[in-house]
Amino acid sequence: MLEFSAPAATDSMTPGKSGEHTMRETTPQVFLIARPSLDLEAMRAYLDSVGGESWLDRRLAETDGQPNPGEQIVEFAGRVCYRSWEPGLNPNVSRIRTDQREYFANILRAQHGSVLEHANYSFALRNVSRVFTHELVRHRAGSAFSQESLRFVRLTDIGFRIPPALEPVRDQVVSLVEQLEEFQVNAADALGIDEEGLPFHVKKEVTSALRRLAPIGLSTDIIWTANVRTLRHVIEMRTAPGAEEELRLVFDQIARMMKDEAPNLFQDFSRDEDGSWVPEHRKV
């Protein structure tokens, strides 16, 4: 899990003027919650039938029996394409790249990006705004999304992150968000949403209606799963200078995370002084 550096502390409370409702100031967090999983015995059984056991033995020896799962499945898929486990299995292949980093460097140079789609990673994004999620879900190809639903989850408080551009009017922002939060609580009470015996479908209808009076910048959670090809594309797009500020903040951390998680698959990415993550090989 990584947290971001930001002026506001995560889930801190800012004193409110009324003393009743105080804005919960948030900071986005990223949790890498799932990565590829390998069945090495099944992989060996397949290789035994095609004659490529030496490749697996070499990778296991290099990693003390613990190969990087994302990198291993991508290389496995790539070598299936040319039957390039070892020389002689394919008469057209007289030599093979044994160094894994160089193997992936060639994949990236050749823009053989389809094999990158076999490795998927899942992130839990905590306290990002609905501005953020509205932009994230545009990246549909190679992605899966599960977002906290405000049709079902009632807003008893409104978490909010004040973007740097709004710092000069911080007091007004805090006051406005606190008013909206107070409305949510008072309206739910006036509409009797907590009355004993009230059917769930009525609670859902009222909760759904009340979300229309919440700011688009409120903090929410979303689970995002993406394959490596998609990750490379989105990291490049969403850290570019023209990208939305919060997306640049979050994807800077995702880029750092993936450089550590699968260094060979992101070996051509570098971070510019302006915060952009730029690959040597684009649109792989």
Side-chain angles (χ1 to χ4, degrees):
M1 183 273 288
L2 293 177
E3 296 188 16
F4 304 100
S5 298
T10 304
D11 288 358
S12 65
M13 304 299 287
T14 302
K17 295 179 180 179
S18 65
E20 296 180 1
H21 296 277
T22 55
M23 189 185 84
R24 179 169 59 88
E25 195 160 355
T26 62
T27 301
Q29 296 171 284
V30 176
F31 303 81
L32 176 57
I33 61 172
R35 54 178 58 84
S37 177
L38 299 174
D39 186 329
L40 294 175
E41 290 308 309
M43 191 173 280
R44 182 176 292 282
Y46 170 84
L47 292 170
D48 181 61
S49 74
V50 299
E53 306 98 314
S54 63
W55 168 81
L56 182 58
D57 290 337
R58 183 166 55 250
R59 292 291 176 256
L60 292 176
E62 292 168 349
T63 60
D64 294 325
Q66 299 293 323
N68 181 298
E71 296 178 352
Q72 185 83 350
I73 188 60
V74 169
E75 184 180 2
F76 184 89
R79 290 193 182 276
V80 165
C81 296
Y82 300 98
R83 201 181 292 179
S84 59
W85 309 107
E86 56 189 54
L89 296 178
N90 174 1
N92 289 338
V93 176
S94 58
R95 63 184 181 88
I96 63 168
R97 291 178 174 83
T98 58
D99 181 81
Q100 190 180 59
R101 183 176 177 83
E102 176 52 32
Y103 177 84
F104 286 125
N106 183 62
I107 290 286
L108 298 174
R109 284 193 301 268
Q111 297 184 323
H112 190 18
S114 63
V115 296
L116 301 179
E117 297 174 13
H118 290 286
N120 289 271
Y121 295 84
S122 296
F123 303 87
L125 306 179
R126 169 76 172 143
N127 283 326
V128 294
S129 73
R130 292 183 77 87
V131 172
F132 177 96
T133 62
H134 286 354
E135 296 210 17
L136 178 66
V137 298
R138 296 174 187 172
H139 298 287
R140 296 178 297 278
S143 291
F145 309 96
S146 295
Q147 184 170 358
E148 181 180 68
S149 173
L150 296 187
R151 192 180 183 196
F152 296 92
V153 179
R154 198 192 321 170
L155 290 170
T156 55
D157 69 90
I158 296 177
F160 197 87
R161 170 182 171 270
I162 299 178
L166 295 183
E167 281 295 336
V169 290
R170 163 179 280 273
D171 290 345
Q172 293 96 310
V173 172
V174 171
S175 177
L176 180 58
V177 173
E178 288 175 349
Q179 290 177 55
L180 291 171
E181 181 180 300
E182 187 171 2
F183 166 79
Q184 291 287 328
V185 175
N186 292 342
D189 182 61
L191 294 168
I193 196 171
D194 287 321
E195 291 180 2
E196 187 175 352
L198 189 70
F200 182 76
H201 76 271
V202 176
K203 293 183 178 183
K204 182 177 71 172
E205 182 179 4
V206 174
T207 299
S208 180
L210 286 174
R211 64 179 170 169
R212 299 170 185 270
L213 280 302
I216 193 174
L218 66 82
S219 296
T220 189
D221 294 357
I222 190 169
I223 306 302
W224 178 48
T225 298
N227 66 53
V228 168
R229 193 179 200 179
T230 295
L231 277 166
R232 286 176 56 91
H233 172 65
V234 180
I235 287 170
E236 180 186 4
M237 283 192 66
R238 297 305 188 175
T239 61
E244 205 275 339
E245 173 266 338
E246 184 184 6
L247 277 93
R248 296 196 80 201
L249 182 69
V250 172
F251 275 97
D252 178 69
Q253 299 304 314
I254 291 176
R256 295 173 189 271
M257 190 175 284
M258 292 312 301
K259 284 281 283 188
D260 289 337
E261 179 71 23
N264 285 329
L265 301 180
F266 291 83
Q267 62 179 275
D268 61 326
F269 268 84
S270 60
R271 190 179 190 274
D272 287 350
E273 290 185 0
D274 64 4
S276 305
W277 283 89
V278 182
E280 180 182 353
H281 307 291
R282 303 186 64 229
K283 296 185 178 180
V284 171

